[in-house]
Amino acid sequence: MNRPTSWHRTALDRIPGGRDGRLMLLVSIIDKTGTGLWAGCTALYFTYVSGLGLGQVGLLMTVSGGVGIAGAPLAGRLADRFPLVRVIVGSQLMRGAALLALLTTDNFLLLTLYSALGALPDRAGSVLIKLYAARLAGPDRVRYQAIQRTTVNIGWSIGGLGAAAALATGSTRAYGVLLVGNVLSYLVIALLTLRCDEPPAPSRVAATSADTPKHRPASPWRDRTFLAYTATEAALFLDDTILQVAVPLWIVHATQAPVGLAPLLLVLNTVLVVLFQVPLARFGATTQAARRLILPLSGLFVVGTLALAASAAGGRTLAITALSVAVIALTFAEIIHATASWELSVALAPAEAQGAYLGVHGLAHSTQRFAGPLLVTGVMSVGPLAWPLLGAALVAAGAAQYRVIRDRVSPPTQPSLSVPTVTVSEH
Protein backbone atom coordinates (compact mmCIF):
# COMPACT_ATOMS: atom_id res chain seq x y z
CA MET A 1 0.00 0.00 0.00
CA ASN A 2 2.90 2.37 0.64
CA ARG A 3 4.67 1.82 -2.67
CA PRO A 4 2.31 3.86 -4.88
CA THR A 5 2.36 6.70 -2.35
CA SER A 6 6.17 6.66 -2.23
CA TRP A 7 6.41 6.66 -6.03
CA HIS A 8 3.90 9.48 -6.23
CA ARG A 9 5.88 11.62 -3.81
CA THR A 10 9.14 10.91 -5.62
CA ALA A 11 7.63 11.97 -8.94
CA LEU A 12 6.36 15.20 -7.41
CA ASP A 13 9.70 15.90 -5.75
CA ARG A 14 11.44 15.63 -9.11
CA ILE A 15 9.52 18.64 -10.43
CA PRO A 16 11.89 21.64 -10.28
CA GLY A 17 10.91 24.55 -8.07
CA GLY A 18 9.59 22.60 -5.10
CA ARG A 19 6.13 23.42 -3.73
CA ASP A 20 5.77 26.65 -5.69
CA GLY A 21 6.83 24.94 -8.91
CA ARG A 22 4.17 22.27 -8.44
CA LEU A 23 1.55 24.87 -7.54
CA MET A 24 2.29 26.88 -10.67
CA LEU A 25 1.89 23.73 -12.77
CA LEU A 26 -1.57 23.32 -11.23
CA VAL A 27 -2.24 26.94 -12.17
CA SER A 28 -1.22 26.19 -15.77
CA ILE A 29 -3.46 23.15 -16.16
CA ILE A 30 -6.50 24.95 -14.70
CA ASP A 31 -5.76 28.01 -16.79
CA LYS A 32 -5.60 26.07 -20.05
CA THR A 33 -8.60 23.94 -19.15
CA GLY A 34 -10.62 27.14 -18.86
CA THR A 35 -9.10 28.55 -22.01
CA GLY A 36 -9.88 25.30 -23.83
CA LEU A 37 -13.52 25.71 -22.86
CA TRP A 38 -13.67 29.13 -24.50
CA ALA A 39 -11.09 29.30 -27.28
CA GLY A 40 -12.81 26.95 -29.70
CA CYS A 41 -16.14 28.75 -29.55
CA THR A 42 -15.07 32.41 -29.37
CA ALA A 43 -16.00 33.23 -32.95
CA LEU A 44 -19.24 31.27 -32.61
CA TYR A 45 -20.18 33.25 -29.49
CA PHE A 46 -19.85 36.53 -31.35
CA THR A 47 -21.88 35.09 -34.22
CA TYR A 48 -24.75 33.32 -32.44
CA VAL A 49 -24.97 35.21 -29.14
CA SER A 50 -23.80 38.73 -29.98
CA GLY A 51 -25.27 38.62 -33.49
CA LEU A 52 -22.20 39.97 -35.31
CA GLY A 53 -21.65 39.40 -39.02
CA LEU A 54 -18.73 37.44 -40.42
CA GLY A 55 -16.84 40.59 -41.40
CA GLN A 56 -17.35 42.11 -37.95
CA VAL A 57 -16.09 38.97 -36.23
CA GLY A 58 -13.00 38.93 -38.42
CA LEU A 59 -12.30 42.61 -37.77
CA LEU A 60 -12.85 42.22 -34.02
CA MET A 61 -10.40 39.33 -33.79
CA THR A 62 -7.85 41.10 -35.99
CA VAL A 63 -7.96 44.27 -33.90
CA SER A 64 -7.76 42.44 -30.60
CA GLY A 65 -4.89 40.32 -31.93
CA GLY A 66 -3.03 43.46 -33.01
CA VAL A 67 -3.52 45.15 -29.65
CA GLY A 68 -2.48 41.97 -27.87
CA ILE A 69 0.99 42.17 -29.42
CA ALA A 70 1.84 44.89 -26.91
CA GLY A 71 1.01 42.59 -23.99
CA ALA A 72 4.31 40.69 -23.99
CA PRO A 73 6.76 43.63 -23.77
CA LEU A 74 4.47 45.47 -21.35
CA ALA A 75 4.37 42.45 -19.04
CA GLY A 76 8.15 42.11 -19.19
CA ARG A 77 8.68 45.73 -18.15
CA LEU A 78 6.22 45.44 -15.28
CA ALA A 79 7.83 42.21 -14.07
CA ASP A 80 11.21 43.97 -13.80
CA ARG A 81 9.69 46.70 -11.63
CA PHE A 82 7.09 44.97 -9.45
CA PRO A 83 6.81 41.64 -7.61
CA LEU A 84 6.32 38.97 -10.26
CA VAL A 85 3.57 37.08 -8.42
CA ARG A 86 1.49 40.24 -8.16
CA VAL A 87 1.92 40.98 -11.86
CA ILE A 88 0.80 37.45 -12.73
CA VAL A 89 -2.27 37.73 -10.47
CA GLY A 90 -3.11 41.13 -11.94
CA SER A 91 -2.97 39.73 -15.48
CA GLN A 92 -5.20 36.79 -14.51
CA LEU A 93 -7.84 39.04 -12.97
CA MET A 94 -7.72 41.41 -15.93
CA ARG A 95 -8.31 38.49 -18.31
CA GLY A 96 -11.33 37.39 -16.29
CA ALA A 97 -12.80 40.89 -16.04
CA ALA A 98 -12.44 41.58 -19.77
CA LEU A 99 -14.03 38.26 -20.65
CA LEU A 100 -16.91 38.74 -18.23
CA ALA A 101 -17.56 42.17 -19.75
CA LEU A 102 -18.51 40.48 -23.04
CA LEU A 103 -21.73 39.32 -21.37
CA THR A 104 -22.81 42.90 -20.76
CA THR A 105 -23.22 44.07 -24.37
CA ASP A 106 -23.84 43.16 -28.00
CA ASN A 107 -22.38 46.43 -29.27
CA PHE A 108 -19.64 45.80 -31.82
CA LEU A 109 -17.35 48.62 -30.64
CA LEU A 110 -17.61 47.64 -26.99
CA LEU A 111 -17.07 43.97 -27.78
CA THR A 112 -13.96 44.92 -29.74
CA LEU A 113 -12.72 47.09 -26.86
CA TYR A 114 -13.24 44.36 -24.26
CA SER A 115 -11.63 41.74 -26.51
CA ALA A 116 -8.61 43.97 -27.05
CA LEU A 117 -8.27 44.64 -23.31
CA GLY A 118 -8.41 40.90 -22.69
CA ALA A 119 -5.82 40.20 -25.37
CA LEU A 120 -3.16 42.27 -23.57
CA PRO A 121 -2.89 40.08 -20.44
CA ASP A 122 -3.62 36.96 -22.47
CA ARG A 123 -0.51 37.48 -24.62
CA ALA A 124 1.44 38.46 -21.49
CA GLY A 125 0.70 35.16 -19.76
CA SER A 126 3.32 33.00 -21.47
CA VAL A 127 6.03 35.61 -20.88
CA LEU A 128 5.21 35.87 -17.18
CA ILE A 129 5.15 32.10 -16.68
CA LYS A 130 8.47 31.74 -18.52
CA LEU A 131 9.98 34.45 -16.33
CA TYR A 132 8.62 32.78 -13.20
CA ALA A 133 10.12 29.46 -14.29
CA ALA A 134 13.49 31.07 -15.04
CA ARG A 135 13.62 32.68 -11.59
CA LEU A 136 12.16 29.77 -9.62
CA ALA A 137 13.69 26.72 -11.30
CA GLY A 138 17.01 28.39 -12.14
CA PRO A 139 19.34 25.62 -13.33
CA ASP A 140 16.39 23.34 -14.12
CA ARG A 141 14.41 25.90 -16.11
CA VAL A 142 14.38 23.94 -19.38
CA ARG A 143 13.06 20.80 -17.71
CA TYR A 144 10.50 22.79 -15.75
CA GLN A 145 9.13 24.52 -18.82
CA ALA A 146 8.97 21.20 -20.65
CA ILE A 147 6.83 19.81 -17.83
CA GLN A 148 4.77 23.01 -17.83
CA ARG A 149 4.12 22.72 -21.55
CA THR A 150 2.98 19.14 -21.08
CA THR A 151 0.45 20.22 -18.46
CA VAL A 152 -0.71 22.99 -20.79
CA ASN A 153 -1.54 20.46 -23.49
CA ILE A 154 -3.38 18.27 -21.01
CA GLY A 155 -5.40 21.30 -19.92
CA TRP A 156 -6.22 22.22 -23.51
CA SER A 157 -7.46 18.68 -24.13
CA ILE A 158 -9.68 18.65 -21.05
CA GLY A 159 -11.14 22.04 -21.91
CA GLY A 160 -11.69 21.09 -25.53
CA LEU A 161 -13.59 17.96 -24.56
CA GLY A 162 -15.72 19.99 -22.15
CA ALA A 163 -16.50 22.53 -24.85
CA ALA A 164 -17.45 19.82 -27.32
CA ALA A 165 -19.83 18.29 -24.77
CA ALA A 166 -21.45 21.65 -24.02
CA LEU A 167 -21.88 22.62 -27.67
CA ALA A 168 -23.37 19.22 -28.46
CA THR A 169 -26.51 20.35 -26.61
CA GLY A 170 -27.25 22.72 -29.50
CA SER A 171 -28.27 25.53 -27.13
CA THR A 172 -26.92 29.07 -27.49
CA ARG A 173 -26.87 29.23 -23.68
CA ALA A 174 -23.92 26.83 -23.81
CA TYR A 175 -21.69 29.63 -25.12
CA GLY A 176 -22.39 31.77 -22.07
CA VAL A 177 -21.78 28.80 -19.78
CA LEU A 178 -18.39 28.15 -21.38
CA LEU A 179 -17.46 31.83 -21.08
CA VAL A 180 -18.37 31.88 -17.38
CA GLY A 181 -16.44 28.63 -16.89
CA ASN A 182 -13.34 30.32 -18.26
CA VAL A 183 -13.87 33.35 -16.01
CA LEU A 184 -14.15 31.09 -12.97
CA SER A 185 -10.89 29.39 -13.95
CA TYR A 186 -9.16 32.81 -13.83
CA LEU A 187 -10.47 33.42 -10.31
CA VAL A 188 -9.26 30.01 -9.15
CA ILE A 189 -5.77 30.41 -10.58
CA ALA A 190 -5.47 33.94 -9.14
CA LEU A 191 -6.17 32.52 -5.67
CA LEU A 192 -3.67 29.70 -6.22
CA THR A 193 -1.01 32.08 -7.54
CA LEU A 194 -1.35 34.23 -4.41
CA ARG A 195 -0.24 31.18 -2.43
CA CYS A 196 3.07 31.10 -4.33
CA ASP A 197 6.13 32.79 -2.85
CA GLU A 198 7.93 35.46 -4.81
CA PRO A 199 10.79 33.76 -6.71
CA PRO A 200 14.45 34.75 -6.17
CA ALA A 201 15.76 37.94 -7.77
CA PRO A 202 17.03 37.47 -11.33
CA SER A 203 20.64 37.99 -10.30
CA ARG A 204 20.47 34.80 -8.23
CA VAL A 205 19.35 32.55 -11.08
CA ALA A 206 21.00 34.06 -14.15
CA ALA A 207 23.66 31.89 -15.72
CA THR A 208 27.23 33.14 -15.34
CA SER A 209 29.35 30.39 -16.86
CA ALA A 210 31.33 30.55 -20.07
CA ASP A 211 28.37 28.88 -21.79
CA THR A 212 26.40 32.10 -21.60
CA PRO A 213 26.24 35.08 -23.94
CA LYS A 214 28.36 38.12 -23.20
CA HIS A 215 28.23 41.89 -23.73
CA ARG A 216 24.46 42.26 -23.51
CA PRO A 217 22.96 45.77 -23.47
CA ALA A 218 20.54 46.49 -20.63
CA SER A 219 17.71 47.37 -23.04
CA PRO A 220 16.48 44.83 -25.61
CA TRP A 221 15.46 47.68 -27.93
CA ARG A 222 19.13 48.69 -28.27
CA ASP A 223 20.33 45.11 -28.59
CA ARG A 224 20.51 44.50 -32.33
CA THR A 225 21.52 40.88 -31.94
CA PHE A 226 18.57 40.11 -29.68
CA LEU A 227 16.17 41.96 -31.99
CA ALA A 228 17.48 39.99 -34.97
CA TYR A 229 17.11 36.77 -32.97
CA THR A 230 13.52 37.71 -32.10
CA ALA A 231 12.74 38.44 -35.76
CA THR A 232 13.86 34.95 -36.77
CA GLU A 233 11.81 33.52 -33.89
CA ALA A 234 8.65 35.04 -35.38
CA ALA A 235 9.24 32.90 -38.47
CA LEU A 236 10.14 29.72 -36.59
CA PHE A 237 6.97 29.94 -34.48
CA LEU A 238 4.99 29.48 -37.71
CA ASP A 239 4.60 25.75 -37.03
CA ASP A 240 1.79 26.73 -34.64
CA THR A 241 -0.28 28.44 -37.33
CA ILE A 242 0.43 25.72 -39.89
CA LEU A 243 -0.86 23.05 -37.51
CA GLN A 244 -3.81 24.96 -36.10
CA VAL A 245 -4.99 26.90 -39.15
CA ALA A 246 -3.42 25.64 -42.36
CA VAL A 247 -3.78 21.87 -41.93
CA PRO A 248 -7.57 21.87 -41.35
CA LEU A 249 -8.16 24.29 -44.24
CA TRP A 250 -5.77 22.39 -46.51
CA ILE A 251 -7.63 19.13 -45.81
CA VAL A 252 -10.91 20.69 -46.89
CA HIS A 253 -9.78 22.72 -49.88
CA ALA A 254 -6.86 20.84 -51.42
CA THR A 255 -6.91 17.14 -50.54
CA GLN A 256 -9.17 14.10 -50.76
CA ALA A 257 -8.73 13.33 -47.05
CA PRO A 258 -11.93 13.16 -44.97
CA VAL A 259 -12.83 16.30 -43.01
CA GLY A 260 -12.90 14.22 -39.82
CA LEU A 261 -9.13 13.77 -40.13
CA ALA A 262 -8.53 17.36 -38.96
CA PRO A 263 -9.45 16.92 -35.27
CA LEU A 264 -7.68 13.54 -35.20
CA LEU A 265 -4.47 15.19 -36.39
CA LEU A 266 -4.78 17.85 -33.69
CA VAL A 267 -5.18 15.06 -31.12
CA LEU A 268 -2.06 13.41 -32.58
CA ASN A 269 -0.21 16.71 -32.15
CA THR A 270 -1.28 16.99 -28.51
CA VAL A 271 -0.40 13.38 -27.68
CA LEU A 272 3.08 13.70 -29.21
CA VAL A 273 3.77 16.89 -27.24
CA VAL A 274 2.65 15.26 -23.99
CA LEU A 275 4.81 12.18 -24.65
CA PHE A 276 8.00 13.79 -25.93
CA GLN A 277 8.31 17.38 -24.67
CA VAL A 278 9.90 16.43 -21.35
CA PRO A 279 12.19 13.60 -22.64
CA LEU A 280 13.52 15.78 -25.48
CA ALA A 281 14.13 18.78 -23.21
CA ARG A 282 17.49 17.34 -22.15
CA PHE A 283 18.84 18.02 -25.66
CA GLY A 284 18.50 21.77 -25.09
CA ALA A 285 19.68 22.00 -21.49
CA THR A 286 22.65 24.25 -22.31
CA THR A 287 22.93 27.31 -24.49
CA GLN A 288 25.23 25.59 -26.96
CA ALA A 289 22.98 22.54 -27.15
CA ALA A 290 19.93 24.74 -27.70
CA ARG A 291 21.68 26.48 -30.60
CA ARG A 292 22.52 23.12 -32.18
CA LEU A 293 18.83 22.15 -32.17
CA ILE A 294 18.25 24.74 -34.90
CA LEU A 295 19.78 22.31 -37.42
CA PRO A 296 17.36 19.37 -36.97
CA LEU A 297 14.56 21.91 -36.63
CA SER A 298 15.22 23.11 -40.18
CA GLY A 299 15.16 19.54 -41.46
CA LEU A 300 11.76 18.91 -39.85
CA PHE A 301 10.34 22.02 -41.50
CA VAL A 302 11.48 20.70 -44.89
CA VAL A 303 9.88 17.29 -44.31
CA GLY A 304 6.64 18.84 -43.04
CA THR A 305 6.16 21.27 -45.90
CA LEU A 306 7.08 18.69 -48.56
CA ALA A 307 4.52 16.30 -47.06
CA LEU A 308 1.84 19.01 -47.18
CA ALA A 309 2.57 19.53 -50.86
CA ALA A 310 2.44 15.78 -51.52
CA SER A 311 -0.93 15.47 -49.78
CA ALA A 312 -2.59 17.33 -52.66
CA ALA A 313 -1.17 15.01 -55.34
CA GLY A 314 -4.36 12.95 -55.39
CA GLY A 315 -5.90 9.97 -53.71
CA ARG A 316 -7.42 9.51 -50.26
CA THR A 317 -4.73 7.14 -48.95
CA LEU A 318 -1.87 9.35 -50.12
CA ALA A 319 -3.52 12.42 -48.60
CA ILE A 320 -4.05 10.77 -45.20
CA THR A 321 -0.50 9.38 -45.13
CA ALA A 322 1.17 12.61 -46.24
CA LEU A 323 -0.86 14.74 -43.84
CA SER A 324 0.02 12.42 -40.97
CA VAL A 325 3.72 12.67 -41.85
CA ALA A 326 3.42 16.45 -42.08
CA VAL A 327 1.78 16.76 -38.66
CA ILE A 328 4.31 14.42 -37.02
CA ALA A 329 7.25 16.35 -38.51
CA LEU A 330 5.80 19.75 -37.62
CA THR A 331 4.93 18.59 -34.11
CA PHE A 332 8.51 17.52 -33.47
CA ALA A 333 9.58 20.86 -34.94
CA GLU A 334 7.26 22.51 -32.42
CA ILE A 335 8.77 20.48 -29.55
CA ILE A 336 12.38 21.13 -30.57
CA HIS A 337 11.83 24.82 -31.21
CA ALA A 338 10.08 25.26 -27.87
CA THR A 339 13.06 23.66 -26.10
CA ALA A 340 15.65 25.78 -27.92
CA SER A 341 13.60 28.95 -27.60
CA TRP A 342 13.16 28.60 -23.83
CA GLU A 343 16.89 28.29 -23.21
CA LEU A 344 18.13 30.84 -25.73
CA SER A 345 15.61 33.58 -24.91
CA VAL A 346 16.55 33.41 -21.21
CA ALA A 347 20.29 32.90 -21.72
CA LEU A 348 20.58 35.83 -24.14
CA ALA A 349 18.99 38.18 -21.59
CA PRO A 350 21.00 40.02 -18.91
CA ALA A 351 19.84 39.40 -15.35
CA GLU A 352 19.02 43.02 -14.66
CA ALA A 353 16.62 43.25 -17.63
CA GLN A 354 15.38 39.69 -17.90
CA GLY A 355 11.71 40.67 -17.91
CA ALA A 356 12.16 43.32 -20.58
CA TYR A 357 14.09 40.92 -22.81
CA LEU A 358 11.57 38.10 -22.46
CA GLY A 359 8.81 40.62 -23.12
CA VAL A 360 10.40 41.59 -26.42
CA HIS A 361 10.93 37.92 -27.24
CA GLY A 362 7.22 37.40 -26.63
CA LEU A 363 6.57 39.71 -29.57
CA ALA A 364 7.73 36.91 -31.86
CA HIS A 365 4.89 34.60 -30.91
CA SER A 366 2.32 37.39 -30.73
CA THR A 367 3.29 38.67 -34.17
CA GLN A 368 3.13 35.17 -35.61
CA ARG A 369 -0.35 34.64 -34.17
CA PHE A 370 -1.43 37.93 -35.74
CA ALA A 371 0.21 37.66 -39.18
CA GLY A 372 0.63 33.88 -39.47
CA PRO A 373 -2.94 33.12 -40.63
CA LEU A 374 -2.64 35.67 -43.42
CA LEU A 375 0.66 34.16 -44.53
CA VAL A 376 -0.43 30.52 -44.58
CA THR A 377 -3.72 31.27 -46.31
CA GLY A 378 -1.71 33.14 -48.92
CA VAL A 379 0.52 30.09 -49.35
CA MET A 380 -2.51 27.84 -49.76
CA SER A 381 -4.01 30.14 -52.38
CA VAL A 382 -0.88 29.77 -54.53
CA GLY A 383 -1.02 25.97 -54.52
CA PRO A 384 0.98 22.90 -53.41
CA LEU A 385 4.30 24.12 -54.79
CA ALA A 386 4.22 27.07 -52.39
CA TRP A 387 4.70 24.76 -49.40
CA PRO A 388 8.31 23.80 -50.28
CA LEU A 389 9.04 27.49 -50.84
CA LEU A 390 7.74 28.24 -47.36
CA GLY A 391 9.89 25.40 -46.03
CA ALA A 392 12.95 26.93 -47.69
CA ALA A 393 12.13 30.30 -46.13
CA LEU A 394 11.92 28.68 -42.69
CA VAL A 395 15.28 26.98 -43.25
CA ALA A 396 16.72 30.37 -44.15
CA ALA A 397 15.28 31.83 -40.93
CA GLY A 398 16.86 29.00 -38.94
CA ALA A 399 20.22 29.52 -40.62
CA ALA A 400 20.02 33.24 -39.90
CA GLN A 401 19.27 32.58 -36.24
CA TYR A 402 22.08 30.04 -35.97
CA ARG A 403 24.50 32.63 -37.31
CA VAL A 404 23.21 35.74 -35.54
CA ILE A 405 23.67 34.31 -32.04
CA ARG A 406 27.02 32.68 -32.80
CA ASP A 407 29.17 35.43 -31.30
CA ARG A 408 26.97 35.67 -28.20
CA VAL A 409 27.31 32.00 -27.28
CA SER A 410 30.73 30.86 -26.10
CA PRO A 411 31.86 27.22 -26.21
CA PRO A 412 31.13 25.61 -22.84
CA THR A 413 34.14 25.16 -20.56
CA GLN A 414 32.04 24.00 -17.59
CA PRO A 415 28.44 22.95 -17.05
CA SER A 416 25.99 25.83 -17.43
CA LEU A 417 23.68 26.69 -14.59
CA SER A 418 20.88 25.76 -16.98
CA VAL A 419 22.04 22.13 -16.90
CA PRO A 420 19.96 20.10 -14.44
CA THR A 421 22.73 18.49 -12.36
CA VAL A 422 20.47 17.44 -9.46
CA THR A 423 16.77 17.23 -8.95
CA VAL A 424 14.85 18.91 -6.17
CA SER A 425 14.45 15.60 -4.38
CA GLU A 426 18.22 15.25 -4.09
CA HIS A 427 18.83 18.55 -2.28
Side-chain angles (χ1 to χ4, degrees), residues 94-120:
M94 184 176 175
R95 290 164 74 189
L99 190 60
L100 192 61
L102 297 178
L103 291 174
T104 66
T105 182
D106 291 333
N107 181 272
F108 170 68
L109 293 178
L110 287 177
L111 289 171
T112 302
L113 173 63
Y114 297 149
S115 297
L117 290 176
L120 283 170

Side-chain angles (χ1 to χ4, degrees), residues 331-383:
T331 298
F332 278 100
E334 175 187 352
I335 293 170
I336 289 176
H337 179 237
T339 300
S341 180
W342 292 333
E343 173 62 20
L344 293 173
S345 60
V346 174
L348 290 170
E352 66 275 10
Q354 199 174 66
Y357 268 70
L358 291 183
V360 169
H361 179 262
L363 286 172
H365 196 262
S366 297
T367 301
Q368 184 276 142
R369 290 181 66 176
F370 175 68
L374 295 176
L375 176 61
V376 297
T377 52
V379 168
M380 288 188 288
S381 67
V382 173

